[in-house]
Amino acid sequence: MKNKRRAFLQQTSGLLGLTGLLSLAENEALAESLKSLPAKAGKPYIVFVTGDHEYSGEQTLPLIAAELEKNYGMRTRVLKAAPDQNAEKNIPGLEALREADLAVFFLRWRQLPPDQLQYIDEYLKSGKPVMGFRTTTHAFNFPQGDTSEVWNAFGERAFGTPPGWGKAGHTHYGHKSTTDVTVIPEAAKHPILTGVAPSFHAASWLYRVRPEYPPKDATLLLMGKSVNPDKPAIDNPVAWTWTNKANAKVFFTTLGHPEDFQDESLQRLTINAIHWLLGKPVPKRWKGKIAINVPYRGIVKS
């Protein structure tokens, strides 16, 4: 690696040494060509954006981030609502999205100020990949008439989910219900499903996104069936991929209860999806189950 770096520096130094012999126009052309030289491949940089009131994403996702750094050669940063998960108007550090190769969101009903929203907007417009969990379907909750009200449809824009809670029939089947999850047969060979059990049980109560979502051009990966629902239930997709209008690769799952993260299938789904979104092969060797033992907290006052 040191030899490659030395050769690169010698190459560029030699080129730069020629600039004294070139015209201004030639110098400008050379500068442009130097910009196009391949940069040293670095570790992918993943930024996790958390703040969800209920599901402790600010505790579960750092454990995923640590695993990515320890065993999968990635750099990570986890951003959290401040001073705690109930703080709806402040997530410090969002400028990190400008350097991110992948943004992962686990949000619920935030009302961030315009200067912070700008960083998210820039990222979404960049066409870089995006990933989301559960309540990110309703990541923002600005009051009617607010200048940022359009952000309430963030889930639809970024991930192909219903445009906010209660929109297009978006609901769930009760806090006493759980979900049986199965791999959709047509998707069984998708790289994201490598090592994922054909069926597993999730603590998350099933989110209803059908019939209008996800978009018809999404690729459905996992289907959920509500167990002990509090109203008549239909099966709903719980994980899918998509390409959004910014031409960004998308992975979204409506799972995300902290107990879900104890399941090895969801852990593999998450690690695989991150690799897939980054254009990297999913790991050939699974490094083993991640110790994630975060209890369900629910919504509590600060």
Side-chain angles (χ1 to χ4, degrees), residues 8 94 151:
F8 175 78
L94 284 167
W151 279 90

Side-chain angles (χ1 to χ4, degrees), residues 82-277:
D84 60 28
Q85 77 279 354
N86 290 329
E88 298 175 351
K89 299 184 179 181
N90 186 29
I91 300 179
L94 284 167
E95 62 273 11
L97 289 173
R98 287 182 166 172
E99 305 300 324
D101 297 303
L102 169 63
V104 181
F105 295 93
F106 199 152
L107 298 174
R108 180 182 186 274
W109 281 354
R110 305 292 105 174
Q111 294 185 14
L112 298 181
D115 61 319
Q116 294 191 7
L117 291 173
Q118 180 62 30
Y119 293 118
I120 300 176
D121 189 52
E122 287 178 6
Y123 186 87
L124 294 181
K125 288 177 178 176
S126 75
K128 293 180 182 180
V130 287
M131 180 172 180
F133 287 93
R134 198 153 176 81
T135 49
T136 310
T137 60
H138 46 292
F140 297 100
N141 187 33
F142 289 96
Q144 187 174 2
D146 191 283
T147 56
S148 296
E149 185 183 3
V150 66
W151 279 90
N152 294 352
F154 169 74
E156 181 182 44
R157 173 188 177 187
F159 301 109
T161 75
W165 190 252
K167 307 295 184 182
H170 188 21
T171 185
H172 65 66
Y173 294 107
H175 292 89
K176 294 183 179 180
S177 65
T178 55
T179 301
D180 283 336
V181 179
T182 55
V183 169
I184 294 172
E186 294 80 3
K189 294 183 179 180
H190 196 288
I192 290 178
L193 296 175
T194 302
V196 175
S199 62
F200 60 96
H201 191 72
S204 289
W205 29 96
L206 181 64
Y207 274 8
R208 176 167 179 162
V209 296
R210 282 186 161 176
E212 296 182 38
Y213 296 88
K216 289 183 170 44
D217 57 344
T219 298
L220 306 184
L221 301 178
L222 298 174
M223 189 65 66
K225 182 179 184 64
S226 184
V227 177
N228 192 34
D230 65 353
K231 62 179 74 68
I234 61 172
D235 293 354
N236 274 263
V238 298
W240 61 85
T241 65
W242 184 49
T243 301
N244 66 24
K245 291 183 179 179
N247 203 35
K249 290 171 69 176
V250 171
F251 172 81
F252 192 85
T253 177
T254 59
L255 304 176
H257 189 291
E259 293 177 15
D260 294 349
F261 283 99
Q262 297 175 19
D263 191 287
E264 197 162 0
S265 282
L266 186 69
Q267 293 180 8
R268 296 201 72 167
L269 183 80
T270 301
I271 298 295
N272 291 348
I274 287 170
H275 281 78
W276 181 82
L277 288 168

